Amino acid sequence: MNKITVVGSINLDTTIRTEQFPKPGETIHSKEIFTNGGGKGANQAIAAARSGAQVDFIGAVGNDDGGKMLVDLLKQDGINTSGIDHLDSVRTGSAYVTVDDSGENSIVIYGGANQQISTEHILENQKEISSSDYVIAQLETNLTSIERSFEIAQKGAAFTILNPAPAPEMLPEKIIQMTDILVPNEIELETIVGVKITSEDDLVKAAKTIHELGVKVLVVTLGSKGSFYSIAEKKTGFVSAFEVNAVDTTAAGDTFIGALASKLTHDLENIEEAISYASKAASLTVQRYGAQPAIPYETELAVEI
């Protein structure tokens, strides 16, 4: 069983279903509206826990009803929430998700408490970080919290996993250098390397650039085209996706990352199997609406799609 610490965001998601996205200045009717747990960090933690990992969570919520509800949801999946700070000065993070009939989504995020994770709070939880197999972070929290967490992880035996989402205009070089495993999608990879990705050759060249920055492993999610991976000075490869009819792509990438971390061994010998497992988990997520309610359990992945 992998021990995973997630340093990340917790959001209260409001999902709005529409036939199509509204044009600027246009008013349209929604088909459905519902609220559930979200935030990339929380989603990834739940995905890992539902795939059998032992998960600790470090983050922050406001001292409000939404924050209490979101922490309770994490506890229901057996996640250790003692590393979540409850702040009086700011509201819990929120996300407003519009999903059209093709399954595509558009998301607006209010960072709230996610942007207020202090260095002191990270240091208070350094035991959980340093004793982990993997420490996962995304870019929905303040960058200082990621830097401090990765510094602690590297002093121990933990591998660091960074999901560079939302796609950054500028990702600090220090964070990249402390990243063992980088898991972007195509657009996020293009943003980091500054080159359009249109072919396998482009992926290989981008991987070379990423490895030169100090990252050991690159895993790129390519949607229906599957995933590309590259291990520095060892090998590259593709893993096929599972063909399904997507109704909502929210949390698909988060599911992939949490599921991947739950199965990946430190020697990376099972990387293709772990990616395939993660792809299968994500393929179930996109067939359901919402973020956390859509994330599958390990028992569901034993069934053929």
Side-chain angles (χ1 to χ4, degrees), residues 101-163:
D101 280 351
S102 70
E104 290 298 323
N105 63 47
S106 176
I107 305 174
V108 177
I109 294 173
Y110 165 70
N114 296 313
Q115 297 298 321
Q116 303 297 323
I117 303 172
S118 68
T119 297
E120 292 74 22
H121 184 61
I122 297 297
L123 293 175
E124 287 168 4
N125 292 277
Q126 59 184 319
K127 182 179 178 181
E128 284 72 23
I129 295 171
S130 59
S131 64
S132 298
D133 293 303
Y134 295 100
V135 176
I136 303 175
Q138 333 73 38
L139 301 180
E140 287 185 343
T141 63
N142 53 317
L143 297 179
T144 303
S145 66
I146 300 172
E147 283 190 26
R148 295 293 176 269
S149 301
F150 279 13
E151 285 171 355
I152 295 166
Q154 291 209 317
K155 288 177 183 176
F159 278 24
T160 56
I161 299 177
L162 180 65
N163 172 215

Side-chain angles (χ1 to χ4, degrees), residues 23-35:
K23 301 179 182 68
E26 181 184 20
T27 299
I28 63 174
H29 287 283
S30 66
K31 301 168 72 172
E32 184 182 11
I33 185 168
F34 55 91
T35 301

Side-chain angles (χ1 to χ4, degrees), residues 95-264:
Y96 300 88
V97 186
T98 303
V99 181
D100 71 7
D101 280 351
S102 70
E104 290 298 323
N105 63 47
S106 176
I107 305 174
V108 177
I109 294 173
Y110 165 70
N114 296 313
Q115 297 298 321
Q116 303 297 323
I117 303 172
S118 68
T119 297
E120 292 74 22
H121 184 61
I122 297 297
L123 293 175
E124 287 168 4
N125 292 277
Q126 59 184 319
K127 182 179 178 181
E128 284 72 23
I129 295 171
S130 59
S131 64
S132 298
D133 293 303
Y134 295 100
V135 176
I136 303 175
Q138 333 73 38
L139 301 180
E140 287 185 343
T141 63
N142 53 317
L143 297 179
T144 303
S145 66
I146 300 172
E147 283 190 26
R148 295 293 176 269
S149 301
F150 279 13
E151 285 171 355
I152 295 166
Q154 291 209 317
K155 288 177 183 176
F159 278 24
T160 56
I161 299 177
L162 180 65
N163 172 215
E169 290 183 10
M170 180 67 70
L171 186 59
E173 190 173 311
K174 186 176 182 182
I175 290 179
I176 295 181
Q177 291 171 344
M178 291 190 294
T179 298
D180 293 309
I181 304 172
L182 186 71
V183 190
N185 62 24
E186 234 170 332
I187 294 171
E188 290 153 4
L189 179 61
E190 288 175 350
T191 303
I192 293 170
V193 300
V195 177
K196 187 76 175 172
I197 307 294
T198 59
S199 66
E200 182 177 344
D201 283 345
D202 291 339
L203 282 168
V204 172
K205 290 176 184 175
K208 185 174 183 293
T209 300
I210 293 296
H211 293 319
E212 287 172 349
L213 293 170
V215 177
K216 299 179 182 69
V217 182
L218 174 68
V219 180
V220 187
T221 55
L222 303 168
S224 62
K225 293 179 286 185
S227 303
F228 167 82
Y229 72 89
S230 176
I231 304 174
E233 299 179 359
K234 286 192 176 181
K235 63 177 180 176
T236 62
F238 282 90
V239 177
S240 299
F242 291 82
E243 292 186 17
V244 296
N245 293 319
V247 299
D248 182 0
T249 56
T250 307
D254 299 331
T255 300
F256 180 94
I257 290 167
L260 175 70
S262 74
K263 301 303 178 187
L264 189 62

Side-chain angles (χ1 to χ4, degrees), residues 6 10 56-60 80-86 117 121-122 124-125 128:
V6 177
I10 313 172
D56 295 296
F57 197 97
I58 300 173
N80 177 18
T81 62
S82 62
I84 298 176
D85 210 358
H86 294 253
I117 303 172
H121 184 61
I122 297 297
E124 287 168 4
N125 292 277
E128 284 72 23

Side-chain angles (χ1 to χ4, degrees), residues 256-272:
F256 180 94
I257 290 167
L260 175 70
S262 74
K263 301 303 178 187
L264 189 62
T265 56
H266 267 203
D267 61 13
L268 306 174
E269 290 297 319
N270 72 335
I271 190 166
E272 291 196 356

